[in-house]
Amino acid sequence: MEFSNVILLAQQAEFPGGDVLPAEGPAGDNASNPLQSLIPMVFIGIIFYLIVMRPQLKAQKNKRKQHEHLMENLKKNDKVVTMGGIIGTVAEVSDDRVTLKIDDNTRVRFTRSSIQDLLADKTEADK
């Protein structure tokens, strides 16, 4: 008996006069206008860009400018740290290479882009 009730609920309702209830409700058809469903998604995308992406892009741009400034002003006897974590003193600077003095008898050549940070500025700022 329950099975027949489910079938009746799934069918269109008929009224005693033979009228059939329309398939669409009185609210109209929202499926015919896809722009109405896209507007909230576009709005969420804009909010996401303004809150998350834009500040992150600005910070990356700022960091890139600072690193370029560091690379341009790198000179002999600067204490630096490489991307690999090696701390040394600049012994020689050429166009795209930097030679670091790591120990008394140890010198290693790196590309300029592998220099991560200048340590001398931090120690001078602390004093």
Side-chain angles (χ1 to χ4, degrees), residues 57-112:
L57 292 173
K58 280 186 175 183
Q60 284 178 350
K61 187 177 178 181
N62 225 2
K63 196 171 186 178
R64 190 178 315 124
K65 282 184 181 181
Q66 288 176 349
H67 191 259
E68 287 174 4
H69 180 69
L70 170 70
M71 292 299 106
E72 291 171 1
N73 297 326
L74 198 61
K75 60 186 179 296
K76 189 174 180 176
N77 295 327
D78 282 344
K79 284 193 172 192
V80 295
V81 62
T82 65
M83 297 277 184
I86 298 173
I87 298 173
T89 306
V90 176
E92 182 183 334
V93 179
S94 65
D95 290 336
D96 63 338
R97 302 281 179 185
V98 176
T99 303
L100 293 184
K101 181 180 176 184
I102 297 171
D103 199 15
D104 290 333
N105 297 325
T106 308
R107 292 174 186 250
V108 181
R109 288 179 58 184
F110 291 95
T111 58
R112 272 184 178 244

Side-chain angles (χ1 to χ4, degrees), residues 2-62:
E2 289 181 29
F3 183 71
S4 63
N5 288 342
V6 173
I7 292 175
L8 290 176
L9 291 175
Q11 296 175 354
Q12 277 186 331
E14 284 190 32
F15 293 108
D19 295 335
V20 177
L21 186 66
E24 295 177 9
D29 55 271
N30 289 334
S32 66
N33 192 357
L35 290 179
Q36 284 183 337
S37 61
L38 275 177
I39 290 173
M41 295 301 289
V42 170
F43 183 70
I44 290 171
I46 291 170
I47 296 295
F48 179 78
Y49 174 78
L50 291 176
I51 292 175
V52 176
M53 297 295 294
R54 190 167 179 231
Q56 186 177 10
L57 292 173
K58 280 186 175 183
Q60 284 178 350
K61 187 177 178 181
N62 225 2

